Amino acid sequence: MEKSSDSGRFSPQLIKGILTGVIATIAGILIFAVIVNLTGINQSVIKGVNQFIKIISVFIGCLFSFSGEKGLIKGAISGIIITVITYLIFLLFGAASFGTGFLIDLALLTVVGAISGIIAVNVKK
């Protein structure tokens, strides 16, 4: 059995997954914000599309970064950290607030990260 170098530590895979997810989230939401400003998309659509962007970003971060084992743990940790970092960034710009929306995102993206991590480590076997 191989020894895992990431037991209990932030491995390079985890850091790469988090950075990829954060960058993808910010890029996706900023691009969508430009589209909203140019087209005047209905406000009722914005929340759903933002949620979809965050889900896809966490999935991308996990899929392109994880291999080996412990995908569930790496993915869940990535989902949590990506959520916190992106909320803090958008909070600085006044585009987010802490409340039930944050807690829902935290729970959802933790689960999405865990599932994505499992998929990522099994696809690369």
Side-chain angles (χ1 to χ4, degrees):
M1 189 163 144
E2 291 180 27
K3 283 191 172 184
S4 178
S5 64
D6 56 12
S7 57
R9 288 187 232 142
F10 286 118
S11 71
Q13 287 182 16
L14 191 56
I15 293 168
K16 182 180 176 186
I18 291 166
L19 289 176
T20 304
V22 168
I23 290 168
T25 300
I26 292 169
I29 289 176
L30 289 176
I31 291 168
F32 181 61
V34 169
I35 292 169
V36 167
N37 283 333
L38 294 175
T39 62
I41 292 175
N42 190 348
Q43 292 285 23
S44 64
V45 176
I46 295 173
K47 188 175 181 178
V49 172
N50 280 341
Q51 195 74 342
F52 179 74
I53 290 169
K54 290 183 252 182
I55 289 169
I56 294 300
S57 297
V58 169
F59 182 76
I60 288 170
C62 292
L63 189 64
F64 291 117
S65 303
F66 300 156
S67 62
E69 52 188 39
K70 298 183 182 178
L72 180 116
I73 295 168
K74 291 178 197 172
I77 290 171
S78 291
I80 291 168
I81 294 174
I82 290 167
T83 303
V84 170
I85 290 173
T86 55
Y87 257 91
L88 290 174
I89 290 170
F90 286 110
L91 194 62
L92 288 173
F93 294 103
S97 62
F98 287 109
T100 56
F102 171 75
L103 296 176
I104 291 169
D105 274 358
L106 188 62
L108 176 66
L109 295 177
T110 300
V111 171
V112 167
I115 294 168
S116 301
I118 292 169
I119 292 169
V121 298
N122 286 301
V123 165
K124 294 184 180 181
K125 280 191 174 181

